[in-house]
Amino acid sequence: MSAFEWRDAPAGPAYAVIGDPVGHSLSPAMQNAAFEALGMTDRYVAVRVPEAEFGPALTRLAATGFRGLNVTVPLKRAALLWADRPDALSMRIGVANTLNLIERSATNTDSPGFAVALAELSPRAGSTAVLLGAGGAARAVAVALADAGFALRIYNRTASRAERLLRELGLQGEVLDAPSARDAGVVVNATSAGVRGEALWVEWEGCEPDAVAMDLAYGPAAEPFVGQARRLGLRACDGKAMLVAQGALAFEWWTGIPAPREVMLRAIP
Ligand code: NDP
């Protein structure tokens, strides 16, 4: 599905996902299926917003009648800074992925969405979690893992970003110098290596036999990581469950109506 340029975004749909690029997003299919299933007339489109044009673009979208936005790469930090009323969770994580354009409020549904998806894999409570990556999504994941009581280890290609992540979020954790899953009960790939078609070779040796693994990417981009984990006999999934969970939480935050999660899951390939 393609995206509108923000200057060309039509009046009518009340919701959108903004990012750059954003044409690949599965959110329109998922959210439109929810609106249709509930007999609501609202619709959801993808809108490309270059980072340098964030402020004028949001002013234009609000004037056009958009009420709520999902925000993806590279705009999540700008979204938090734009909001007059960011909630405590988005402020703590330092990025927002969901906005209310009328109230100028912001939240982060990536973090609780990840927690819901991880719980579906039934990880062993209190085990060590290895987080790969230190970008915007990794910040949300790190908070969820720490709050769920996992001992955090983090590897990032650029180690200084991993150290900064822990420092800025005020989290206890160890920075690894290699993508090692040793002793891990949970392994999360929050890098965009797969999306870029680049290899990320996790050292699986020594991980717990009942470990679980999740790639935040989905589809073919997640196959190398999920495939490695499954070949070792681990329970593993891609990022679709998180995508649906964060989308359902955003839907509920905007509308106050319970989201039809099964419908949303079936709407994505
Ligand atoms: P960012 O651009 O903020 O961060 C990218 C991260 O990937 C950085 O840590 C970067 O390391 C690392 N990285 C990139 N290329 C490589 C490579 N070749 N080898 C090792 N590390 C690499 O992206 P986000 O945090 O926003 O997103 C990360 C992933 O999560 C994406 O695949 C995105 O689609 C997915 N995602 C899924 C969601 C869902 O609901 N399922 C929600 C949000 C994100 P460095 O710092 O060294 O550059």
Side-chain angles (χ1 to χ4, degrees):
M1 121 125 227
S2 58
F4 291 99
E5 296 296 312
W6 66 265
R7 288 185 179 82
D8 303 330
Y15 299 94
V17 55
I18 61 168
D20 185 20
V22 72
H24 64 284
S25 174
L26 299 178
S27 292
M30 183 173 74
Q31 299 286 0
N32 282 322
F35 289 124
E36 282 166 28
L38 297 176
M40 298 166 74
T41 54
D42 294 323
R43 288 295 175 265
Y44 185 110
V45 293
V47 177
R48 192 178 78 90
V49 174
E51 193 166 12
E53 298 165 12
F54 190 89
L58 264 67
T59 302
R60 166 84 166 58
L61 291 173
T64 309
F66 284 85
R67 297 199 296 274
L69 298 178
N70 280 135
V71 182
T72 187
V73 174
L75 307 176
K76 291 184 184 182
R77 178 74 184 159
L80 179 78
L81 298 176
W82 173 88
D84 292 336
R85 296 175 53 209
D87 71 358
L89 182 62
S90 59
M91 281 199 290
R92 180 175 167 215
I93 296 170
V95 292
N97 77 326
T98 307
L99 296 175
N100 179 318
L101 290 183
I102 296 165
E103 296 177 357
R104 289 185 70 99
S105 53
T107 189
N108 187 308
T109 66
D110 281 337
S111 192
F114 167 78
V116 166
L118 182 66
E120 287 174 13
L121 289 171
S122 304
R124 185 146 51 82
S127 57
T128 294
V130 169
L131 171 59
L132 308 170
R139 295 174 74 92
V141 169
V143 164
L145 288 169
D147 285 359
F150 295 99
L152 194 57
R153 290 184 188 169
I154 175 164
Y155 164 80
N156 194 49
R157 183 176 59 179
T158 312
S160 58
R161 280 187 87 190
E163 281 153 14
R164 202 175 75 203
L165 181 153
L166 291 174
R167 195 174 54 247
E168 287 181 357
L169 295 177
L171 297 176
Q172 299 290 322
E174 185 185 337
V175 174
L176 301 174
D177 57 12
S180 168
R182 182 167 292 283
D183 302 327
V186 176
V187 186
V188 180
N189 183 13
T191 76
S192 51
V195 173
R196 295 162 178 271
E198 296 163 0
L200 173 73
W201 292 110
V202 180
E203 298 166 17
W204 294 96
E205 203 182 323
C207 74
E208 296 289 348
D210 61 351
V212 302
M214 191 196 305
D215 198 325
L216 267 49
Y218 30 79
E223 274 166 19
F225 175 85
V226 171
Q228 287 169 34
R230 287 197 178 139
R231 279 192 291 280
L232 292 167
L234 308 182
R235 278 164 290 145
C237 71
D238 70 4
K240 269 183 210 144
M242 173 176 167
L243 180 76
V244 171
Q246 63 79 28
L249 291 166
F251 183 98
E252 290 167 353
W253 190 75
W254 291 319
T255 66
I257 298 169
R261 286 172 164 73
E262 286 302 317
V263 169
M264 295 171 85
L265 181 61
R266 282 200 302 274
I268 56 177

